[in-house]
Structures are given as structure tokens and as C-alpha cells.
Amino acid sequence: EVGRSAVTLAANTLVARRSYTLLISAHMTAQPAAIASTTVMLVVPAQELRAIIAGGDRTHSAARALTIDGSASTNPNDDSGLSYLWSARIRSNASDTLAAARELDV
């Protein structure tokens, strides 16, 4: 864009896992032939997937059905969607590590 000393790219203009070369040229208004240019390299790294369970930790009655919703999970690099794999583990007590917990069929 001509005439401005700064430019803003709208969100989602740049693509993750790509590199860009940005160029700026400045010239004197009174002497357009007097010009200087420079470039910078811009790397847009991939961002981590975000697995989100709506509601977080909770207490729930064993006598009621429980729905766990992961639809707020996101892939900030791509809009093509996510697939989900659910598992559950039973802990004997709150101090058990996840590795020590027993697998539960879901």
C-alpha cells in the first residue's frame, strides 16, 4: 500500500507453517528517485491443537447420565475440522496418577 508508514494484515491472512518475505520501500516525497528498501523474514509457526472439555472439572452423580462436550476444541492452523477419541480412567483415590488409573470403557 502506498503512502502509509505502517500496514496491518487482517487476522487469518497469514497461513501457519509458512514463511513470508516482507518488503518496505521508503522514498523522499520531494525526490522520488531517492529510495531505500529493506526486507524482513516472517515465519508463522504452527500452533498447538487445543483440546477443551466444556465445564472443566466437576462433581457428578453416578445416578445421572453424563455428557462431555469437546466441541470447543480448536485447530488454529486449519479449518478442516477435528476428530475425537475419548477414553476414561478410574482412579482409586485423588492422589493416584493417571498412569496408575484403571481404563474404563466409553
Side-chain angles (χ1 to χ4, degrees):
E1 192 166 318
V2 177
R4 296 187 339 178
S5 62
V7 65
T8 300
L9 299 175
N12 301 314
T13 299
L14 303 174
V15 177
R17 295 185 292 267
R18 297 234 176 115
S19 297
Y20 298 85
T21 300
L22 306 175
L23 166 71
I24 184 171
S25 298
H27 65 87
M28 295 176 58
T29 305
Q31 295 178 329
I35 190 167
S37 298
T38 191
T39 61
V40 295
M41 178 71 92
L42 174 67
V43 176
V44 181
Q47 296 179 16
E48 303 249 344
L49 294 173
R50 293 188 59 216
I52 299 169
I53 295 176
D57 292 340
R58 68 196 80 192
T59 300
H60 190 80
S61 168
R64 293 180 27 223
L66 173 65
T67 299
I68 303 292
D69 183 358
S71 64
S73 300
T74 61
N75 178 357
N77 304 303
D78 188 348
D79 287 347
S80 64
L82 297 173
S83 60
Y84 302 89
L85 174 64
W86 291 93
S87 66
R89 294 184 178 268
I90 300 172
R91 293 183 180 194
S92 297
N93 58 58
S95 64
D96 280 355
T97 65
L98 190 57
R102 185 170 50 89
E103 189 77 25
L104 174 68
D105 291 331
V106 289

